[in-house]
Amino acid sequence: MYKLTTNTLIWLQTLLNERYGHLFHLYYLNSSTLVLCLPNSEQSIIFDNLQSIFYCSQSDFACQQWRPSAENFTAPIDDLISAPSATKLMNPLIEFNKKGATIHYDILGLTYWMLNRLEEIESHDLDNHQRFPATTSHAFRHGYLERPVIDEWLIILAQVIQRVWPQLVLKQHTFSIKVSHDVDRPSYAFTPWLSIGRIMVNELIKDYKIRTLVTTPYLKLTTRKQLHSTDPYNTFDWLMDVSEANNLQSAFYFICGRTDARRDANYEPEYTVIRQLMRRIHNRGHEIGLHPSYGTYQHPVLIKSEAERLKKICTEENIAQPFWGGRMHYLRWGHPTTLQAWNDAGMDYDSTLGYADSPGFRCGTCFEYPAFNPITQQQLAVRIRPLIVMEGTIIESAYLGLGVGDKALNRILKLKDICYRVHGCFSLLWHNSSLVSNELKEMYQCCLKN
């Protein structure tokens, strides 16, 4: 059990104040009741059905549906909102009175449970990369993974707040896009000779690309101080061009360690060509971040060491940034060990929390939020920037396998539209090495258009 403590309430208060732009106060009335109030106001909002299930690391409980319009509320996406609950929903769910309002559903408990990923703690139902998969989650099992259920409920709570305190003007959020690129393979030239030989043979057999017999060894031999313009993985300037055309900033996350010979990158961040690439990214106003190597996710010391290595290189190259973030390699994540490691490494944000096997809202939100360690009951300095879509999840046969085309694009655009409807942030990961055809480039550009 990860019970409601004073620190839990402070974190929830911080979250609500950040979301709504006002200084609310939360206090614990008794074991089943929370009160949300404003200073110098006699009105309050009471949550009188707190559920212990939201303070446990498990997923085996029911989920119901609530219809906002039946109680004169406006739903942001669809007129049914998922309501995970161990008890039957009351009718009406929300009641108003002279003293304010009473909500008979534990919105704040759900928020705590989803955002702090309690169901993942000590889970043993993991995939072959030791990741908590989407298929294990409560959201997937009950059909709301592609809905930002926390944002939906907080929008309903905002409507309650405005009825209780009509004089308040709540913070208005604007839809945004965050695009990032894990630099697993910055250049074809870093591919080992043996692997290059296999690639050349495969391309000759499948596509009869005779020119690969010349171009592939040429790239390998000539990439020393800078990436070659014909390198199929060298899409960095193109990516920055597309971001700039859409008033966006790209973030490029570099691997800075070797903990798995097969799965980690075939480059060192100190290479002249990588330093030159980092300088070019920085000079164009884009972001450089960390992509900790495969074996680090349960080893805080290694994450800290790789973060320090990246920052050292950037200092040597006169690259200064106001904040530092990144994402774990292969989206490997052990909660809350990995989160605490990012915090202790002095990082400002992490953008790992999306699923590899299915797109959607792993944390139930598309808003960045302050991190909290439910085991130590401490709010952390690092922030969580949820990942909504990774291109490989949609395209690759190992996951959804939708390939390149309208079916895959429409799946991505649907999630983007959902983020738009709740005025949140659409966070998209697209690897620089996954743009090897004009069809892929057109698909990527379509994802960013207004």
Side-chain angles (χ1 to χ4, degrees):
M1 288 283 291
Y2 305 94
K3 297 180 180 179
L4 269 174
T5 66
T6 299
N7 286 349
T8 307
L9 293 184
I10 291 172
W11 177 79
L12 281 167
Q13 256 181 216
T14 301
L15 186 78
L16 294 178
N17 293 341
E18 184 177 295
R19 183 66 66 98
Y20 299 133
H22 285 278
L23 295 177
F24 292 99
H25 179 63
L26 268 176
Y27 65 91
Y28 198 31
L29 191 62
N30 55 51
S31 60
S32 62
T33 308
L34 262 180
V35 180
L36 178 69
C37 58
L38 272 177
N40 305 316
S41 173
E42 295 182 359
Q43 277 70 41
S44 63
I45 298 173
I46 294 174
F47 301 85
D48 69 348
N49 189 22
L50 304 189
Q51 297 194 41
S52 60
I53 196 72
F54 291 139
Y55 302 92
C56 296
S57 179
Q58 61 187 82
S59 306
D60 56 344
F61 55 94
C63 184
Q64 299 166 66
Q65 300 288 316
W66 179 66
R67 190 177 297 279
S69 64
E71 298 187 33
N72 297 315
F73 289 95
T74 302
I77 299 170
D78 182 76
D79 196 28
L80 278 177
I81 300 179
S82 294
S85 177
T87 61
K88 186 176 180 180
L89 296 182
M90 292 181 63
N91 186 18
L93 195 69
I94 302 171
E95 296 183 282
F96 293 90
N97 52 59
K98 292 181 180 180
K99 294 183 178 180
T102 300
I103 300 176
H104 305 301
Y105 179 63
D106 194 1
I107 295 174
L108 300 184
L110 175 67
T111 301
Y112 176 78
W113 181 76
M114 282 291 292
L115 267 59
N116 293 312
R117 307 308 305 131
L118 262 67
E119 66 177 327
E120 298 188 26
I121 298 174
E122 298 180 354
S123 173
H124 299 291
D125 191 359
L126 308 176
D127 69 7
N128 60 325
H129 293 290
Q130 298 301 296
R131 300 174 298 198
F132 183 85
T135 50
T136 298
S137 70
H138 188 277
F140 182 89
R141 290 174 177 176
H142 293 277
Y144 64 91
L145 178 58
E146 295 192 17
R147 295 275 293 274
V149 64
I150 298 304
D151 299 332
E152 294 182 77
W153 278 111
L154 291 183
I155 285 171
I156 296 299
L157 179 56
Q159 294 174 40
V160 176
I161 289 170
Q162 290 181 313
R163 293 187 197 181
V164 173
W165 295 290
Q167 75 280 10
L168 286 186
V169 178
L170 299 185
K171 183 178 180 180
Q172 299 298 304
H173 297 276
T174 304
F175 171 70
S176 63
I177 298 174
K178 294 284 187 185
V179 60
S180 54
H181 319 283
D182 294 347
V183 187
D184 300 341
R185 294 179 290 177
S187 173
Y188 209 71
F190 295 138
T191 307
W193 279 113
L194 183 60
S195 297
I196 282 179
R198 292 196 191 102
I199 293 169
M200 290 167 63
V201 171
N202 287 335
E203 288 186 349
L204 281 170
I205 293 171
K206 290 181 180 179
D207 302 315
Y208 302 102
K209 294 180 179 178
I210 303 297
R211 66 176 184 174
T212 59
L213 291 174
V214 176
T215 58
T216 302
Y218 176 74
L219 289 174
K220 179 74 174 174
L221 293 169
T222 58
T223 299
R224 292 291 182 267
K225 294 185 177 180
Q226 63 181 14
L227 299 175
H228 200 278
S229 59
T230 62
D231 192 323
Y233 297 162
N234 180 18
T235 57
F236 298 99
D237 283 310
W238 185 87
L239 283 165
M240 290 186 281
D241 288 342
V242 173
S243 285
E244 289 162 14
N246 289 280
N247 296 313
L248 300 173
Q249 181 190 53
S250 275
F252 296 89
Y253 303 146
F254 289 85
I255 293 180
C256 292
R258 299 280 185 96
T259 50
D260 187 286
R262 186 163 63 92
R263 296 183 178 94
D264 284 326
N266 291 310
Y267 69 89
E268 301 294 345
E270 289 85 2
Y271 284 175
T272 300
V273 66
I274 299 299
R275 286 174 177 266
Q276 193 273 345
L277 173 60
M278 288 183 182
R279 285 198 305 271
R280 193 162 81 248
I281 290 168
H282 177 70
N283 290 339
R284 288 189 61 167
H286 297 272
E287 181 190 342
I288 292 164
L290 179 67
H291 196 40
S293 58
Y294 184 84
T296 61
Y297 80 116
Q298 293 280 29
H299 299 281
V301 172
L302 293 179
I303 291 177
K304 184 176 182 180
S305 173
E306 294 185 12
E308 290 173 347
R309 186 180 181 187
L310 176 67
K311 291 178 181 179
K312 179 177 183 291
I313 293 167
C314 287
T315 298
E316 292 169 354
E317 298 300 326
N318 296 313
I319 296 171
Q321 296 184 156
F323 52 83
W324 295 89
R327 178 184 298 112
M328 297 301 296
H329 195 28
Y330 278 73
L331 304 185
R332 298 187 94 198
W333 188 268
H335 199 67
T337 303
T338 313
L339 176 65
Q340 186 70 51
W342 275 86
N343 183 82
D344 295 349
M347 302 301 283
D348 297 292
Y349 75 85
D350 171 86
S351 188
T352 304
L353 287 174
Y355 291 115
D357 56 327
S358 186
F361 303 89
R362 181 172 179 172
C363 303
T365 182
C366 52
F367 284 78
E368 184 178 302
Y369 61 93
F372 185 83
N373 187 326
I375 292 181
T376 64
Q377 286 288 298
Q378 296 295 317
Q379 182 169 321
L380 305 179
V382 69
R383 294 174 65 81
I384 294 173
R385 182 178 293 176
L387 173 64
I388 311 304
V389 179
M390 175 175 71
E391 96 284 358
T393 301
I394 303 291
I395 296 170
E396 292 176 9
S397 58
Y399 300 120
L400 297 188
L402 299 184
V404 181
D406 290 343
K407 191 173 182 181
L409 177 61
N410 290 337
R411 187 71 174 269
I412 297 172
L413 293 180
K414 180 183 177 182
L415 288 162
K416 179 184 175 183
D417 181 64
I418 287 172
C419 295
Y420 176 83
R421 287 170 179 264
V422 297
H423 310 292
C425 179
F426 175 60
S427 176
L428 173 66
L429 158 59
W430 204 293
H431 294 76
N432 64 284
S433 52
S434 296
L435 292 159
V436 293
S437 70
N438 289 332
E439 291 80 9
L440 281 163
K441 288 183 176 180
E442 288 173 9
M443 184 175 169
Y444 176 75
Q445 287 176 302
C446 287
C447 292
L448 301 189
K449 287 180 180 177
N450 293 327

